[in-house]
Amino acid sequence: MESVLKDNIEKFFTWFVEEGKATVRIKEPAVDICLSKANANSLKSFLSAARMADRGCDTSSLPLATLTPVRARDVEKPKKKLTIVSKKDYPLTSSFPYSLEQLQVSYCKLSRVDMRMLSLKALRKLDLSNNHIKKLPATIGDLGCLAELILHNNQLESFSEALCLSTLQRTLQSLDLSQNCLRGLPAQFCQLRELVNLKLDDNKLAWLPFRVGRLSKLRFLSAAHNQLALLPGDFRKLSLENLDLFGNPFTAPNPLDHSIHLTFPLSLQELASRAVVNLRFRSRTDLSSSPPTSAGDLELSEACECGRACVRFFIRTAVSMNLHQVSHTVVLVDDMGGTEAPVQRHFCSLSCYSEFLDNCLQRGAR
């Protein structure tokens, strides 16, 4: 026992030792050994021996009782799932079982994420819906198996860049942020490329991340009842099964309404940036060896209707898009039965924008 336990016990939980119950938390492997139905005196002797073994002391002279084989039916299997939906049932003194793969803690008035949850390395589903959480700790990103995160009906005001750049990039498939206080999402949000299901309903979102098209595995998107006035151009790259944007203040776009961010002639930096990005578009060249500004320009760039890139200088307008172009099933966007929404368009030059307007006028004439 000495060799196995030496410097390998993280903590003893002995609040109920008089009832014959105790838990020993082992460092490696990371497991909790739960003891129950034991004789209180024998249990105390065992725990004393375990403490001595952890310190590296000799335990051979201790008067320990002879162990009798336990029956298989008396062995409790590791707990995989735990549901707590009442504050009175929330554990204040005991720990969460290390073996948990699914944990739901709802209606407990939590104002923050309990750090004990963040030590559950096997956790695949975490449901903290219907609480009062305002901020998420970056250490949620250390849950290396987390595939589903439910934060419905809390008071979240942000979703941090750190979470977007954590191991959640490789594991998170379903995220529910509905009924919170979010006004925006960071550009890095689109690094969560394993997302299949995303719920953003009933927030205060004024925009979606402009690289939302990079969520190539996304199939279910709901962002109803927000403050979205238009969609980013990248939205056209999505391939969804179900889309719900009902209740946003979309307005009918007018291609003649535009904003111009151009200089004549274009700066050398803009010309160089466009050349680098166009090369990337055509040949998928790795920009890791390029100057930092080149990699940054790739993140900022938009594709013109002509297929070429524009980076910091462009003409921007909005056009109407039928949402069936990006989703098999579309929830109506308004009470009038509409399925169209405005989406941004970028143009690299006046000539490209003029050609676009000519085409619009010709379609209108027909």
Side-chain angles (χ1 to χ4, degrees), residues 3 56-57 105 107 124 137 145 164 168 170-171 208 235 319 329:
S3 60
C57 300
V105 180
Y107 303 102
R124 293 184 51 80
C145 297
C164 301
L168 295 182
R170 300 189 297 272
T171 63
L208 294 177
F235 198 88
V319 298
T329 303

Side-chain angles (χ1 to χ4, degrees), residues 213-225:
R214 290 184 178 176
L215 300 177
S216 59
K217 295 185 179 181
L218 194 64
R219 295 296 177 265
F220 303 91
L221 172 61
S222 55
H225 302 289

Side-chain angles (χ1 to χ4, degrees), residues 3-274:
S3 60
V4 175
L5 296 182
K6 184 178 180 181
D7 296 323
N8 197 31
I9 297 180
E10 182 177 327
K11 192 173 183 180
F12 291 90
F13 299 91
T14 58
W15 296 285
F16 303 104
V17 70
E18 296 295 340
E19 300 176 17
K21 301 176 183 178
T23 299
V24 182
R25 176 162 295 170
I26 304 298
K27 295 178 183 176
E28 184 60 39
V31 295
D32 285 349
I33 300 176
C34 300
L35 307 169
S36 62
K37 302 179 182 179
N39 175 277
N41 291 328
S42 298
L43 181 58
K44 291 176 184 177
S45 297
F46 172 79
L47 294 174
S48 296
R51 286 192 179 93
M52 292 178 65
D54 181 49
R55 300 182 189 126
C57 300
D58 182 17
T59 61
S60 58
S61 61
L62 291 177
L64 295 176
T66 302
L67 293 177
T68 56
V70 68
R71 293 175 298 181
R73 66 186 182 188
D74 292 332
V75 177
E76 293 185 13
K77 294 182 180 180
K79 199 173 185 67
K80 302 287 187 180
K81 184 177 179 180
L82 178 61
T83 300
I84 302 170
V85 291
S86 172
K87 190 174 181 179
K88 65 181 178 60
D89 297 327
Y90 190 78
L92 297 177
T93 55
S94 60
S95 61
F96 294 102
Y98 263 26
S99 55
L100 283 181
E101 295 181 3
Q102 299 183 42
L103 173 61
Q104 178 183 358
V105 180
S106 301
Y107 303 102
C108 291
K109 299 182 179 180
L110 296 182
S111 60
R112 58 183 177 83
V113 178
D114 191 330
M115 299 305 287
R116 291 178 295 171
M117 300 175 187
L118 305 181
S119 63
L120 305 175
K121 300 304 181 184
L123 206 60
R124 293 184 51 80
K125 177 180 178 180
L126 178 58
D127 183 348
L128 298 175
S129 59
N130 300 293
N131 283 292
H132 300 159
I133 299 170
K134 292 184 177 182
K135 187 177 180 180
L136 298 175
T139 42
I140 283 184
D142 295 334
L143 295 173
C145 297
L146 194 64
E148 185 173 358
L149 180 58
I150 302 174
L151 297 160
H152 166 80
N153 192 24
N154 275 278
Q155 298 172 13
L156 292 174
E157 298 176 350
S158 65
F159 193 88
S160 72
E161 297 177 6
L163 283 175
C164 301
L165 300 176
S166 68
T167 56
L168 295 182
Q169 293 183 70
R170 300 189 297 272
T171 63
L172 194 62
Q173 299 175 12
S174 181
L175 176 60
D176 187 347
L177 296 171
S178 59
Q179 290 191 32
N180 278 280
C181 305
L182 299 171
R183 296 184 180 275
L185 295 170
Q188 293 82 356
F189 187 86
C190 300
Q191 297 294 325
L192 301 172
R193 299 192 187 189
E194 296 299 314
L195 277 178
V196 176
N197 190 349
L198 176 59
K199 296 182 179 180
L200 300 170
D201 311 273
D202 297 289
N203 278 280
K204 301 175 183 179
L205 294 173
W207 69 86
L208 294 177
F210 77 105
R211 287 296 184 221
V212 67
R214 290 184 178 176
L215 300 177
S216 59
K217 295 185 179 181
L218 194 64
R219 295 296 177 265
F220 303 91
L221 172 61
S222 55
H225 302 289
N226 278 281
Q227 300 300 316
L228 301 175
L230 76 166
L231 303 174
D234 224 43
F235 198 88
R236 292 177 293 170
K237 298 179 182 178
L238 292 175
S239 179
L240 305 172
E241 293 182 21
N242 187 276
L243 173 63
D244 183 1
L245 296 175
F246 180 82
N248 281 284
F250 295 131
T251 56
N254 181 355
L256 292 174
D257 294 335
H258 61 271
S259 59
I260 297 181
H261 304 272
L262 285 176
T263 60
F264 303 98
L266 289 173
S267 68
L268 288 176
Q269 181 181 356
E270 175 72 9
L271 291 171
S273 297
R274 289 187 178 191

Side-chain angles (χ1 to χ4, degrees), residues 296-312:
D297 290 342
L298 181 61
E299 292 299 312
L300 290 172
S301 66
E302 294 284 354
C304 176
E305 293 297 295
C306 68
R308 294 189 292 268
C310 46
V311 183
R312 300 175 187 274

